[in-house]
Amino acid sequence: MVLRYPNGKPYQPILPKKNKNNHENIIFGNRGMSLEDEINQSNQYYLQQDTAVIHKKPIPIQIVQVDYPQRSAAVIKEAYFKQASTTDYNGVYRGYYLDFEAKETHNKTSFPLNNFHEHQITHMKSCIKQAGICFTIIKFTATQEVFLLPASILFNYWNNQENGRKSIPKSIIEKNGFKIKYHVKPLIPYLTIIDKLIENLHKE
Amino acid sequence: MVLRYPNGKPYQPILPKKNKNNHENIIFGNRGMSLEDEINQSNQYYLQQDTAVIHKKPIPIQIVQVDYPQRSAAVIKEAYFKQASTTDYNGVYRGYYLDFEAKETHNKTSFPLNNFHEHQITHMKSCIKQAGICFTIIKFTATQEVFLLPASILFNYWNNQENGRKSIPKSIIEKNGFKIKYHVKPLIPYLTIIDKLIENLHKE
């Protein structure tokens, strides 16, 4: 049976990859791990270190039927995926509210905007009005490159889709975003970029 | 069939109450509505007014089996409730990170601490280290009184449970908490209390 996410993409458990060439495992130790897992692992490290409290929100589900077998845990027998009304991640760091989405793309030269839903953009715009810090973490899987892109850049491209362009060029992400180099503890040290954004806030 | 929450409490849909005395409906217009619904409604109002962005987190669920009937939405056929690792509500207001739990009690003179789990307390302590604002909204259903209690008071009682006292006296909640009077828009105007807490932060 194929498990699928609400967006229809098949669920892929994280298993050790069988590479033709084992050297790949040495160079790209995290290849095969989803961006979500990498970020969850990083957030766990940040939490343990008292650096920040950032969590992924559970998938929203409409429960219809629950069974209560004797001496066992309640079993949900019928439920449906609901559309989330927010982004996936939020939390607090140095007194700042952080809110973001994490997205992977197989594309090599641009990031397709159909990775986002209107309500996620609306949500981030609302958070920014409350002085929250909103952004996207984008991973180009082909090159295993990870960028932090401030929400303002995403909004520019999102708002101008009528003009025909349905994606953000990678060159723009490289220029206006911040490349996050893989690290060990944590795997994706994105808060060092947030430190820079906070510094800039105070300069303004 | 009885639907139950992960804590074993039966799920109660919000239906108009049949009261022996219909006058009760006039005096307590919101009687029969759960505190959760009242807060969700208030948060929706705050969001619409661009006052704050506060959401309840979905219930965390471990999905085991999903069916994909043709031409219909995916159906979750087997899933289990997981224990949440955070509190129920969080979001951003005036640049501040807010994090809280909402709890009702039928008790008349005290609020039992077994309404909380250790991990919720741990989570709030972590958030406070990051300068988040943490609290509990407590409703005494017998009198329909709602209070906002800063997390620091909750921690005091939580940490001293070995000494025998397993609840917070209502008198302490009245003295150290803030009574929230029911309003129309929003129903529970708890952010006016948060304004006071923020003012005090700046005085310190």
Side-chain angles (χ1 to χ4, degrees):
Chain A
M1 191 203 57
V2 181
L3 277 184
R4 284 176 194 278
Y5 286 111
N7 63 7
K9 284 187 190 156
Y11 167 74
Q12 299 210 313
I14 310 310
L15 299 170
K17 271 207 166 178
K18 284 180 195 163
N19 286 316
K20 283 175 293 183
N21 181 348
N22 266 325
H23 293 298
E24 283 193 350
N25 272 337
I26 296 160
I27 302 164
F28 302 111
N30 52 296
R31 190 169 273 192
M33 206 185 204
S34 74
L35 177 61
E36 185 181 314
D37 286 312
E38 292 170 347
I39 290 177
N40 290 347
Q41 207 180 87
S42 306
N43 286 341
Q44 212 175 339
Y45 177 79
Y46 281 137
L47 182 64
Q48 282 162 357
Q49 299 293 310
D50 273 336
T51 309
V53 185
I54 319 280
H55 286 277
K56 183 173 188 293
K57 290 188 183 182
I59 299 171
I61 279 165
Q62 180 70 47
I63 298 169
V64 176
Q65 197 201 328
V66 184
D67 277 7
Y68 300 91
Q70 281 196 330
R71 294 165 195 272
S72 324
V75 191
I76 298 162
K77 299 298 281 183
E78 186 185 352
Y80 298 88
F81 293 107
K82 285 199 294 185
Q83 182 147 69
S85 46
T86 66
T87 48
D88 274 355
Y89 293 89
N90 78 355
V92 60
Y93 172 56
R94 291 177 49 189
Y96 292 89
Y97 173 81
L98 306 191
D99 197 295
F100 65 100
E101 274 290 319
K103 301 282 188 190
E104 297 184 285
T105 182
H106 295 298
N107 279 31
K108 288 179 182 172
T109 56
S110 71
F111 177 75
L113 289 166
N114 63 10
N115 275 289
F116 285 93
H117 297 289
E118 182 75 46
H119 64 268
Q120 292 173 323
I121 305 286
T122 307
H123 170 73
M124 285 199 269
K125 286 180 179 172
S126 299
C127 289
I128 282 177
K129 282 185 194 160
Q130 294 303 321
I133 297 175
C134 299
F135 54 93
T136 309
I137 294 178
I138 294 172
K139 181 175 177 178
F140 289 92
T141 51
T143 54
Q144 296 279 308
E145 285 173 293
V146 178
F147 295 90
L148 186 150
L149 187 72
S152 55
I153 316 291
L154 171 64
F155 296 164
N156 285 345
Y157 279 83
W158 183 265
N159 297 340
N160 286 308
Q161 281 184 88
E162 311 88 81
N163 301 337
R165 170 110 223 169
K166 306 283 188 199
S167 66
I168 309 174
K170 191 180 173 190
S171 59
I172 293 291
I173 295 170
E174 286 170 331
K175 194 178 148 207
N176 296 301
F178 301 84
K179 188 163 177 175
I180 311 172
K181 283 192 189 148
Y182 277 104
H183 195 77
V184 180
K185 291 185 170 185
L187 203 49
I188 299 188
Y190 66 95
L191 291 181
T192 54
I193 312 292
I194 300 301
D195 286 332
K196 285 186 205 173
L197 296 183
I198 292 172
E199 249 178 69
N200 289 341
L201 281 179
H202 289 289
K203 274 183 203 154
E204 279 164 14
Chain B
M1 191 202 58
V2 182
L3 278 184
R4 283 175 195 279
Y5 288 109
N7 62 8
K9 283 185 190 159
Y11 167 73
Q12 298 212 312
I14 309 310
L15 300 169
K17 270 207 165 179
K18 283 180 197 164
N19 285 316
K20 282 174 294 182
N21 181 347
N22 265 324
H23 294 297
E24 281 194 351
N25 272 336
I26 297 160
I27 303 165
F28 302 110
N30 52 300
R31 187 168 275 192
M33 207 186 204
S34 73
L35 176 62
E36 185 182 313
D37 286 312
E38 292 171 345
I39 290 177
N40 289 347
Q41 209 180 86
S42 305
N43 286 340
Q44 212 175 339
Y45 177 79
Y46 281 137
L47 182 62
Q48 283 161 358
Q49 299 293 310
D50 273 336
T51 309
V53 185
I54 319 280
H55 285 278
K56 185 176 186 292
K57 291 189 184 181
I59 299 170
I61 279 165
Q62 178 70 48
I63 298 169
V64 175
Q65 197 201 326
V66 185
D67 277 8
Y68 300 90
Q70 283 196 329
R71 295 165 194 272
S72 323
V75 191
I76 298 161
K77 300 298 281 182
E78 187 185 350
Y80 297 90
F81 294 106
K82 284 200 295 186
Q83 183 146 69
S85 46
T86 67
T87 49
D88 274 354
Y89 294 89
N90 77 354
V92 60
Y93 173 55
R94 292 176 51 190
Y96 292 90
Y97 173 82
L98 306 190
D99 198 295
F100 64 100
E101 273 290 319
K103 301 283 189 191
E104 297 184 285
T105 181
H106 294 298
N107 279 30
K108 288 178 183 172
T109 55
S110 69
F111 178 76
L113 289 166
N114 62 12
N115 275 288
F116 285 93
H117 297 289
E118 182 75 43
H119 64 268
Q120 293 173 321
I121 305 287
T122 307
H123 170 73
M124 286 199 269
K125 285 180 179 173
S126 299
C127 290
I128 281 178
K129 282 185 195 162
Q130 294 302 320
I133 298 175
C134 299
F135 53 94
T136 309
I137 295 179
I138 294 172
K139 182 174 175 178
F140 289 91
T141 51
T143 54
Q144 296 278 309
E145 285 173 293
V146 177
F147 295 90
L148 186 151
L149 187 72
S152 55
I153 316 291
L154 172 64
F155 296 163
N156 284 346
Y157 279 82
W158 184 266
N159 297 339
N160 284 309
Q161 281 184 88
E162 311 88 81
N163 300 337
R165 169 111 223 171
K166 305 282 188 201
S167 65
I168 309 175
K170 190 179 174 191
S171 57
I172 292 292
I173 295 171
E174 287 169 329
K175 194 179 151 207
N176 296 299
F178 301 84
K179 188 164 178 172
I180 310 173
K181 281 190 190 152
Y182 277 102
H183 195 74
V184 179
K185 290 183 172 186
L187 203 50
I188 299 187
Y190 66 96
L191 291 181
T192 54
I193 312 293
I194 299 301
D195 287 332
K196 284 185 204 173
L197 296 184
I198 292 172
E199 249 179 68
N200 289 342
L201 282 179
H202 289 287
K203 274 183 203 156
E204 275 163 16

